Amino acid sequence: MTRKTSTTSTASGDGAAPGHALMSTHGLTKEFGGFRAVEGVDLAVAEGTIHALVGPNGAGKTTLFHLLTGFLPPSAGRIELAGRDITGLPPERVARLGVARSFQVTSLFPAETARAHLELALQAGTGLGRRFWRSDRLLARFSGRARELLDQVGLADRAESPAGSLPYGQKRALELALALALDPRVLLLDEPTAGMGLEDVDRTVALVDRVRAGRTVVLVEHNMSVVGSLADTVTVLQRGRVLVEGTYDTVRSDPRVVEAYLGAGGA
Ligand code: ADP
Ligand code: MG
């Protein structure tokens, strides 16, 4: 159902039916000084699904995320969101259109409390710009929603803890809450379980499963058991290109995928 149909005519914007491509790329390419990190990628992310991007290190997954979120302009190709061409829009615009990402690299302010992070993100209206006036009176308006979000990611009892004091798994949960503060239609998660122990991995899987309701999730993930439990569709990238796409079970047993992983010594 999530085969790469060419998604031309969902010009209605909000009205995309479940299963329809909410976000898609067409011949998407990114060159760095002649080297193609992403090359001719056609991706169709069906609305309401979790779509995993996997592949050996250097396959172009993070670069593809940078392209999808406007952090990098493509060298060629097109990106559509609900039928609208968003190619080349800057990150703030893409975020406002409902695409939010949680970062692979931590971006928290150690001295600020978990609650303050969320209030500030809610006030900024985008998880990106944290350049704003600090007004406690204004921020108080967001405290209810901030608490809801903390509760959603299992941090209700850490609201007043400085972010720097949180253990690793909880820092990542806070980052996820910051992305959720935008109430995104499309949530991009770059290796949400990277560096986690088993217990935190399980917690994160449960968490992603909880917050997926009403959203579409694009997930870069190395841990194949995480991919297996969460993803509806898996796209395998290799050297910037789509190698194979399908359900987890199809992809996992595909000889080309086995070869790609063994050959590159990845994951
Ligand atoms: P992945 O996330 O799948 O491990 P990346 O998207 O980070 O892969 O990188 C894909 C390829 O592009 C790698 O070979 C990497 O070295 C290269 N690359 C990524 N960013 C840049 C950059 N800013 N300049 C030059 N090369 C880059
Ligand atoms: Mg990466």
Side-chain angles (χ1 to χ4, degrees):
M1 66 187 168
T2 47
R3 286 279 129 207
K4 287 174 278 174
T5 48
S6 70
T7 45
T8 30
S9 58
T10 320
S12 58
D14 285 281
H20 219 101
L22 177 59
M23 196 169 206
S24 59
T25 70
H26 308 267
L28 198 64
T29 298
K30 181 66 186 179
E31 285 190 13
F32 295 111
F35 169 75
R36 295 190 164 184
V38 170
E39 183 167 13
V41 168
D42 296 323
L43 196 69
V45 179
E47 176 145 44
T49 62
I50 296 186
H51 193 129
L53 299 175
V54 307
N57 281 326
K61 306 179 295 292
T62 296
T63 303
L64 186 50
F65 259 35
H66 288 320
L67 296 170
L68 292 175
T69 49
F71 279 81
L72 284 175
S75 311
R78 214 151 35 82
I79 305 171
E80 285 184 15
L81 179 68
R84 171 178 179 169
D85 192 333
I86 62 162
T87 317
L89 292 186
E92 320 80 72
R93 293 280 309 283
V94 178
R96 288 220 168 80
L97 290 170
V99 179
R101 76 187 287 182
S102 177
F103 283 85
Q104 191 175 357
V105 179
T106 193
S107 56
L108 302 171
F109 296 99
E112 296 280 4
T113 65
R115 179 178 51 80
H117 272 85
L118 283 164
E119 289 173 357
L120 293 167
L122 288 163
Q123 187 196 356
T126 143
L128 308 161
R130 298 196 187 122
R131 307 158 242 123
F132 32 60
W133 295 112
R134 182 86 202 246
S135 152
D136 289 341
R137 194 168 54 84
L138 270 179
L139 288 180
R141 288 194 299 170
F142 300 105
S143 63
R145 180 73 186 128
R147 286 195 182 277
E148 276 173 30
L149 287 162
L150 287 168
D151 193 36
Q152 207 181 0
V153 302
L155 292 178
D157 58 345
R158 306 309 301 265
E160 303 308 325
S161 304
S165 75
L166 299 174
Y168 181 74
Q170 294 188 350
K171 283 194 178 107
R172 303 299 307 259
L174 178 55
E175 286 168 340
L176 181 56
L178 289 171
L180 291 172
L182 298 173
D183 196 20
R185 289 178 82 181
V186 183
L187 179 63
L188 295 101
L189 303 174
D190 196 355
E191 301 197 25
T193 70
M196 285 184 178
L198 270 186
E199 212 171 292
D200 276 342
V201 169
D202 287 347
R203 237 196 301 271
T204 303
V205 168
L207 181 53
V208 173
D209 205 36
R210 221 175 322 135
V211 303
R212 71 175 294 180
R215 302 183 205 285
T216 301
V217 178
V218 185
L219 171 75
V220 166
E221 180 59 59
H222 273 297
N223 184 326
M224 283 302 149
S225 89
V226 171
V227 172
S229 29
L230 287 174
D232 299 294
T233 307
V234 181
T235 297
V236 185
L237 293 170
Q238 184 190 30
R239 288 191 217 101
R241 293 173 160 277
V242 174
L243 182 68
V244 179
E245 186 176 274
T247 63
Y248 174 71
D249 287 328
T250 331
V251 160
R252 187 178 59 155
S253 53
D254 191 297
R256 289 168 295 176
V257 174
V258 176
E259 159 96 14
Y261 272 87
L262 293 178

